[in-house]
Amino acid sequence: MKLLLRQIGVLVEKDLYLLFNPKSRISTLWRAQWIPIIFAMYMSFILKVYWPKEEYGIGAPTQVRSLADAMHHTTGGRDTFVMVNPVNPGGDIDRVIQLIAQPLKSSGKTIKITNDVIDMIQTCQSSLQGTTKCFGAVVFNSSPKEGPWGVWNYTIRSDASF
């Protein structure tokens, strides 16, 4: 406790010295007031200086695209979509997978339906930059009638370029 009080006393003495010393009064004002204000102004305007065309904040509302429309607008050869049902075939999850896959197959995209997550990982191998040739993947973990949780539980996977 004695050491703590001694340290506090030294800090108070240093602060009072900086405040009342006429030689360091100007430098103290610069360090304590003007430099932080200049730095805060710089940080608040840096986005407009380096990225003037970007828009931040609340944007204009737009409709959410359908999966088929979103895949149609992708670039870079991302035309594969993988769906995984590791629970059990022939149930609610397979019916949902077929409902999702129908419009995508008719649009000419590659749809892979598998029962193993390893197949999805092999199909959508990522590069060193974290990108894949897949648009995305969905792993269905359970549905109300299938799986351990009794609710719809799924994982959407995408690559680092999104």
Side-chain angles (χ1 to χ4, degrees):
M1 186 69 172
K2 187 176 178 181
L3 178 64
L4 177 65
L5 291 175
R6 194 174 106 208
Q7 288 176 341
I8 291 173
V10 169
L11 287 173
V12 167
E13 184 181 332
K14 180 190 74 131
D15 290 343
L16 290 174
Y17 176 75
L18 288 174
L19 184 64
F20 293 119
N21 186 356
K23 293 180 181 178
S24 67
R25 191 171 291 154
I26 301 297
S27 64
T28 300
L29 280 175
W30 271 98
R31 280 184 292 157
Q33 187 175 9
W34 296 111
I35 290 175
I37 289 173
I38 292 168
F39 181 72
M41 288 173 55
Y42 173 74
M43 293 304 288
S44 65
F45 293 117
I46 193 168
L47 291 175
K48 290 293 183 189
V49 172
Y50 293 114
W51 298 283
K53 295 180 183 174
E54 297 295 326
E55 294 180 22
Y56 297 98
I58 299 172
T62 59
Q63 288 186 338
V64 177
R65 291 182 178 174
S66 68
L67 183 58
D69 187 38
M71 284 187 73
H72 176 71
H73 286 91
T74 58
T75 59
R78 289 189 179 90
D79 56 356
T80 303
F81 190 75
V82 181
M83 290 183 274
V84 183
N85 179 6
V87 181
N88 56 353
D92 289 340
I93 294 175
D94 274 345
R95 282 194 290 279
V96 168
I97 287 175
Q98 292 306 319
L99 285 172
I100 295 171
Q102 270 180 335
L104 298 177
K105 286 179 182 177
S106 64
S107 68
K109 301 297 181 179
T110 305
I111 307 301
K112 182 170 183 178
I113 301 169
T114 181
N115 293 329
D116 193 8
V117 177
I118 301 297
D119 290 340
M120 181 219 26
I121 293 170
Q122 289 173 347
T123 302
C124 300
Q125 288 183 352
S126 62
S127 66
L128 292 175
Q129 291 87 14
T131 60
T132 68
K133 292 294 181 183
C134 291
F135 178 78
V138 178
V139 180
F140 290 93
N141 301 311
S142 72
S143 73
K145 295 179 183 173
E146 302 169 310
W149 297 292
V151 294
W152 282 104
N153 185 347
Y154 56 90
T155 305
I156 299 175
R157 297 193 178 195
S158 65
D159 61 21
S161 67
F162 293 136

